[in-house]
Structures are given as C-alpha cells and as structure tokens.
Amino acid sequence: VAAVAFLVWAAPTLGRLLGPSFAASVPAIRMLALIPLLRCFHYAAGNALTGCTSQWYRTGSHIFAAVLNVCLCILWLPHWSWKGAALASLITDGSLGVMNWATLLYLHRRQAWASEQAQAVRS
C-alpha cells in the first residue's frame, strides 16, 4: 500500500527529476502503481500453493495468466496503445491473484472433505 501511495504521489515529480520528456509518463505510472499491491495478493497465495506441494496448480495459473496477457495485448494494443498494455497487465495480475486464492481455497476444502471422510470411515 505504501508503494502504491508513493508511486501515485511521486509520479508528477518524475518530469522535474528526469527531464520534460518524462512528464508524459505520469498517467502510466499512476495506472501501473496498483501492480505491486496486486502482486502481494498473488504472491502470498502462490507461495502457499508451492509450500503445500501444489506447484503444478501455481504453474497452471501462471500459464493461463500469460496467455490471457498476450491475448489482451493483441486485442487492446492496436486500439489503446500503452493504456491497453497497462490495463492488460492490471487484469492479468488481478486474475492471477483470484486464480491462486481460488485454487488455495479449493485445495483446503478438498483436504477438509477428505479428512471428514477418513474420520467417518474410522467411526
């Protein structure tokens, strides 16, 4: 959250620090500032998937996210230029977070169900 706030706040100073040619990059920096926050969510769930020996689920979600990003860029870059690429990146990182957390929830529920079944057999 601090990184997002800093990037949004500091974006206008980029033109003054690096020269007037960077002044036009302020909207791009502000739009892409959400990526560190989105990455926190998908890294947390992705690391949990790796830690519970479910690396293939994480790999699958990354492959899906890569294909999604390529498709969105093919569709949006010709029409919206850098804004299309930035939006594709935000959607890709957001969907990766949703996929990783949904997979983690699925695996947790599957394990809880298996434990309940094992308990019922023992009883």
Side-chain angles (χ1 to χ4, degrees):
V1 173
V4 173
F6 175 76
L7 287 169
V8 169
W9 173 78
T13 63
L14 194 61
R16 285 179 260 162
L17 292 174
L18 301 175
S21 62
F22 284 90
S25 64
V26 171
I29 292 170
R30 285 188 168 158
M31 191 171 187
L32 294 172
L34 287 175
I35 287 181
L37 185 63
L38 293 172
R39 294 227 169 142
C40 288
F41 289 110
H42 79 72
Y43 283 158
N47 289 342
L49 286 171
T50 299
C52 69
T53 65
S54 299
Q55 180 63 37
W56 284 109
Y57 288 106
R58 185 179 189 180
T59 301
S61 67
H62 276 266
I63 290 170
F64 179 82
V67 170
L68 175 65
N69 188 270
V70 168
C71 291
L72 291 176
C73 284
I74 288 171
L75 290 172
W76 294 347
L77 277 174
H79 301 290
W80 297 324
S81 182
W82 68 266
K83 290 178 185 176
L87 188 58
S89 295
L90 290 169
I91 289 172
T92 298
D93 276 308
S95 67
L96 191 55
V98 169
M99 285 186 292
N100 284 347
W101 280 104
T103 302
L104 201 56
L105 180 62
Y106 163 76
L107 291 173
H108 176 71
R109 287 185 177 171
R110 186 178 76 175
Q111 183 178 2
W113 181 81
S115 295
E116 288 173 9
Q117 295 302 315
Q119 184 69 21
V121 169
R122 285 189 286 246
S123 298

